[in-house]
Amino acid sequence: MAADRIASLTLSHVVLPLENPVSDAKVLTGRQKPLTETVLLFVEVTTEQGFEGMGFSYSKRAGGPAQYAHLKEIAEVAIGQDPSDIAKIYESLMWAGASVGRSGVATQAVAALDVALHDLKARRAGLPLAKLLGAHRDSCRVYNTSGGFLQASVEEIKEKATASLEAGIGGIKIKVGQPDWAEDLRRVAALREHLGDTPFMVDANQQWDRARARRMCRELERFDLIWIEEPLDAWDAVGHADLSRTFDTPIATGEMLTSVPEHMALIDAGYRGIVQPDAPRIGGITPFLKFATLAAHAGLALAPHYAMEIHLHLAAAYPTEPWVEHFEWLNPLFEERIDIRDGRMWVPDRPGLGFTLSDQMRKLTVETAKFSA
């Protein structure tokens, strides 16, 4: 077969409002405003032979327009390249935007195109992406976060948790890290009593210093949690590593990190917890898989952050049993839904990621840019 070439790219800047604003500990500590929307960068790629792929990246509160602007500036270098040469294309995009570095917005913008190329490759093969990568399982354990934010009362969280479990979700995560640590413990105790032996996680969203984190981790040991997430600043690799070696309850972190080297700092510090890389944030599926190989070699458990439409496939290809985070927020953007039952999220049998863009996604598109040969 003759080599194929990328014939066209379409970039879409999409603003998806949330039904209700949500607050985590960063809001209660005054560091951020409530979250009201998710901003996404979609990329649709078409080849000369007629194959197609779709990928996306996202931001919360800030950075969405910057992602779109950056990829719009450099995307043209992918035109005419062989879509199978994903790593080569990635490098060419990195060099095209070299002056702004290789993390943060620079790689998050490229992530959308990188995901689209992996989607295209799997579609062309007629396989779900997980199968193309080499799946270890057809489903992954799933937990819900969207019902556990801090603006909700304990009773509201209980109701949402019950609804999630009845819908087939296997675990529940709630937010902690508010200024009144005693209130955190009261909420955790109330949810643990409500949930019984259901898998239960908490997320402090980086709001404790090292002393408070040690005290809170000690207090939280009695609740038999699956993990305590982001007890410290996301870039405090040494602090997270220390906590992971000190307490029986696993420590989880990594969702905010935006490059493989930033994630590797955890391993280099002796981290023994759960890693939570986010493909759109780390720069796409290409760097995600690079770090996943290193994490597996280090014996670390995996629980990717957000973007379940992408991460289900990547988690299914991880050697040890992972968790996938359920957020229904992006549902309006896609025609299909993921099968969730028996506490697990099931890999679609459709080729690629297994999703097509909805009419609602088109209506929510603020601007587009097109590139062609």
Side-chain angles (χ1 to χ4, degrees):
M1 180 185 293
D4 201 358
R5 303 291 173 188
I6 295 175
S8 67
L9 295 170
T10 300
L11 282 53
S12 298
H13 175 200
V14 176
V15 179
L16 174 64
L18 299 185
E19 186 174 339
N20 297 297
V22 298
S23 298
D24 59 23
K26 298 188 295 293
V27 176
L28 274 67
T29 57
R31 291 186 166 105
Q32 290 185 341
K33 296 179 180 179
L35 181 65
T36 60
E37 63 188 22
T38 300
V39 180
L40 300 104
L41 167 60
F42 280 91
V43 173
E44 296 165 85
V45 55
T46 302
T47 74
E48 292 176 353
Q49 295 179 13
F51 294 103
E52 298 178 342
M54 177 277 296
F56 65 91
S57 188
Y58 74 92
S59 66
K60 298 176 180 177
R61 294 186 176 89
Q67 290 180 14
Y68 176 80
H70 184 65
L71 189 58
K72 182 179 177 181
E73 201 169 11
I74 64 174
E76 193 170 13
V77 304
I79 298 296
Q81 295 203 55
D82 186 333
S84 294
D85 296 338
I86 299 176
K88 178 183 176 184
I89 294 170
Y90 199 94
E91 282 296 308
S92 69
L93 291 165
M94 287 295 97
W95 279 111
S99 64
V100 291
R102 296 195 172 194
S103 65
V105 168
T107 47
Q108 291 166 7
V110 173
L113 176 51
D114 183 76
V115 172
L117 292 174
H118 281 275
D119 179 54
L120 185 152
K121 192 171 186 178
R123 289 193 196 193
R124 186 177 59 201
L127 294 171
L129 179 59
K131 294 292 186 182
L132 183 70
L133 296 175
H136 286 270
R137 58 196 63 83
D138 294 325
S139 66
C140 298
R141 295 177 295 183
V142 57
Y143 72 97
N144 178 264
T145 296
S146 60
F149 281 82
L150 288 171
Q151 84 287 342
S153 68
V154 169
E155 290 307 311
E156 289 176 294
I157 295 175
K158 287 180 180 179
E159 291 175 6
K160 291 176 180 178
T162 297
S164 292
L165 297 175
E166 289 176 349
I169 291 171
I172 299 295
K173 187 174 82 178
I174 68 168
K175 301 292 186 175
V176 294
Q178 56 192 315
D180 184 355
W181 60 268
E183 178 61 19
D184 276 339
L185 295 176
R186 284 192 290 270
R187 288 165 73 93
V188 172
L191 263 293
R192 171 46 85 199
E193 181 180 9
H194 178 72
L195 293 171
D197 60 0
T198 296
F200 184 27
M201 306 85 161
V202 301
D203 182 359
N205 287 111
Q206 311 177 68
Q207 295 309 293
W208 297 328
D209 59 24
R210 288 186 178 183
R212 173 56 60 196
R214 290 177 70 87
R215 292 188 178 101
M216 290 301 293
C217 287
R218 189 172 296 112
E219 292 283 350
L220 290 167
E221 289 271 61
R222 69 180 187 267
F223 295 110
D224 190 27
L225 300 172
I226 300 297
W227 69 66
I228 300 167
E229 185 171 335
E230 282 194 327
L232 299 169
D233 182 278
W235 286 268
D236 186 357
V238 171
H240 278 107
D242 179 59
L243 292 176
S244 75
R245 295 191 301 264
T246 300
F247 296 100
D248 292 336
T249 303
I251 304 300
T253 193
E255 68 177 61
M256 297 300 298
L257 305 181
T258 63
S259 69
V260 173
E262 288 175 9
H263 283 79
M264 279 304 299
L266 289 166
I267 295 177
D268 293 342
Y271 183 66
R272 296 292 180 267
I274 299 168
V275 288
Q276 298 180 299
D278 180 319
R281 281 184 175 166
I282 198 175
I285 291 174
T286 296
F288 184 104
L289 294 175
K290 182 182 295 185
F291 174 66
T293 298
L294 300 169
H297 178 72
L300 300 179
L302 178 77
H305 169 255
Y306 201 60
M308 62 187 184
E309 296 81 5
I310 299 170
H311 290 134
L312 173 56
H313 293 273
L314 305 183
Y318 197 69
T320 58
E321 179 76 12
W323 285 90
V324 175
E325 186 171 28
H326 177 269
F327 266 96
E328 70 281 1
W329 292 356
L330 304 186
N331 281 351
L333 305 176
F334 305 106
E335 293 291 347
E336 299 82 5
R337 297 292 177 264
I338 297 176
D339 181 18
I340 297 174
R341 51 188 161 84
D342 304 324
R344 304 185 69 83
M345 184 180 290
W346 296 79
V347 176
D349 58 8
R350 302 178 295 272
L353 294 175
F355 293 94
T356 51
L357 298 176
S358 67
D359 291 340
Q360 183 68 5
M361 175 268 176
R362 304 296 179 190
K363 293 177 182 177
L364 293 169
T365 298
V366 177
E367 56 184 324
T368 60
K370 296 185 178 182
F371 302 86
S372 59

